[in-house]
């Protein structure tokens, strides 16, 4: 049978079958030598001596490393308007990493009940006028569009600690609260968890909640590739004078022209440049 891994605890795998049943399985020895199985993986499993055994991991569409989840349809960037502060730098960094992994990003702006400054409102509007889907939420008044975007998809929530990721899931599914409590207890508060291997059934989809992260890893992205990971640049990619343009100091750059004519928000471009410079410095250092 073909099933999906929805939970990994040590060597025990929980599979979701096409009949929507949860069964426990172990991994066949030869599979273990392959790439480590991830939550979200589709697998071939068979019953051997009354025990489900995973025989094979089917090819992945994509994979995120933190959290370690495969076949992700979308990543929801959870960003609060305050507490912690709204940060376009963080949204844009996450957005680039998510797009680089071949995953659709979506922005969820939380804590809108706490009041939004003019500056933050202007920044949110820039996203709303851009290519990314944006949902605003406030505690206690669940936006039905959130449940809708989760339906039938594998989603990953990402964002800094305290942004309200777990709160969102608890509001979407009241039974979810218990599950999160159990997990955080099992992991131990304050511990670094690089992998979070569970997908929760929520609103007709599967969602990975993640702990707040401590760093973002751009080591797998080159300066040449970075521009393609910025959604707002997409209409201008391939239109620069030089085809190896990194949209920095080159003449005839279509991206820079779009920034000058305000078709791309200036802050989006500045955030791009700061990551680009970081990548360039890294290359000078190591190559
Ligand atoms: N006023 C208000 N408070 C909220 C909202 N969303 C979350 N909170 C509060 O913000 C705090 C942090 O929320 P969590 O859901 O635990 O944040 P998290 O993103 O899961 O944080 P980590 O698990 O540490 O990564 C909690 O005290 C929530 O009650 C909201 O929309 N409005
Ligand atoms: Mg949480
Ligand atoms: Zn360019």
């Amino acid at each position: 049978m073909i099933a999906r891994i929805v939970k990994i605890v040590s060597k025990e795998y929980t599979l979701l079958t096409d009949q929507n049943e949860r069964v426990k399985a172990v991994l066949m020895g030869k599979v273990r030598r392959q790439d480590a199985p991830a939550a979200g993986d589709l697998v071939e499993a068979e019953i051997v001596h009354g025990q489900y055994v995973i025989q094979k991991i089917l090819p992945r569409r994509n994979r995120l490393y933190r959290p370690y989840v495969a076949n992700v349809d979308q990543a929801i960037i959870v960003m609060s308007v305050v507490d912690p502060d709204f940060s376009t730098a963080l949204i844009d960094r996450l957005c680039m990493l998510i797009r680089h992994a071949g995953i659709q990003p979506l922005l969820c702006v939380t804590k809108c009940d706490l009041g939004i400054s003019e500056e933050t409102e202007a920044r949110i509007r820039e996203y709303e006028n851009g290519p990314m889907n944006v949902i605003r939420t406030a505690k206690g008044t669940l936006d039905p569009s959130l449940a809708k975007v989760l339906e039938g998809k594998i989603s990953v929530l990402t964002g800094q600690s305290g942004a309200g990721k777990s709160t969102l899931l608890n509001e979407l599914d009241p039974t979810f609260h218990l599950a999160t409590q159990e997990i955080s207890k099992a992991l131990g508060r304050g511990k670094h968890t690089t992998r979070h291997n569970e997908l929760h059934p929520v609103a007709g989809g599967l969602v990975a909640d993640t702990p707040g992260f401590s760093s973002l890893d751009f080591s797998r992205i080159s300066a040449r590739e970075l521009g393609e990971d910025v959604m707002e640049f997409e209409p201008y990619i391939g239109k620069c004078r030089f085809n190896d343009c990194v949209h920095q100091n080159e003449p005839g750059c279509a991206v820079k022209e779009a920034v000058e004519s305000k078709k791309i928000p200036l802050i989006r471009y500045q955030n791009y440049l700061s990551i680009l410079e970081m990548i360039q410095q890294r290359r000078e250092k190591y190559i």
Side-chain angles (χ1 to χ4, degrees), residues 63-256:
R63 169 177 39 178
L64 281 176
Y65 288 89
R66 230 180 305 165
Y68 193 60
V69 182
N71 299 316
V72 180
D73 293 299
Q74 58 189 1
I76 302 172
I77 300 168
V78 180
M79 176 60 67
S80 45
V81 293
V82 283
D83 191 25
D85 283 344
F86 190 84
S87 163
T88 65
L90 186 54
I91 293 171
D92 293 353
R93 281 162 188 235
L94 284 167
C95 204
M96 288 180 226
L97 289 170
I98 291 163
R99 295 250 311 165
H100 197 77
I103 294 163
Q104 176 90 12
L106 202 139
L107 178 61
C108 183
V109 181
T110 61
K111 309 198 188 184
C112 291
D113 54 302
L114 294 181
I116 307 174
S117 71
E118 252 176 60
E119 167 70 17
T120 300
E121 180 61 35
R123 296 288 84 84
I124 298 171
R125 291 249 166 99
E126 283 173 346
Y127 286 108
E128 286 173 334
N129 294 332
M132 183 159 49
N133 191 359
V134 183
I135 296 173
R136 299 191 192 212
T137 65
K139 203 172 175 178
T141 52
L142 187 67
D143 189 326
S145 57
L146 187 63
K148 234 179 166 170
V149 300
L150 298 177
E151 197 180 336
K153 293 198 172 122
I154 296 184
S155 309
V156 162
L157 295 184
T158 184
Q160 53 195 334
S161 186
K165 299 179 293 295
S166 303
T167 302
L168 279 180
L169 292 185
N170 289 340
E171 294 202 347
L172 281 161
D173 185 344
T175 65
F176 195 79
H177 188 61
L178 264 176
T180 48
Q181 295 281 39
E182 279 165 24
I183 291 159
S184 55
K185 232 178 174 174
L187 292 174
R189 263 199 100 121
K191 256 195 206 163
H192 289 291
T193 48
T194 49
R195 289 179 179 190
H196 189 86
N197 291 326
E198 182 162 7
L199 285 169
H200 302 277
V202 180
L206 291 169
V207 184
D209 182 18
T210 61
F213 40 76
S214 51
S215 68
L216 296 177
D217 183 10
F218 280 90
S219 62
R220 291 184 184 86
I221 306 183
S222 71
R224 277 289 308 279
E225 296 170 309
L226 189 68
E228 290 170 20
D229 297 328
V230 183
M231 276 176 123
E232 283 86 349
F233 292 2
E234 215 160 31
Y236 311 100
I237 296 295
K239 295 191 175 148
C240 302
R241 186 180 304 164
F242 302 108
N243 57 19
D244 61 351
C245 188
V246 295
H247 327 299
Q248 196 173 25
N249 303 311
E250 299 92 334
C253 172
V255 169
K256 271 196 297 180

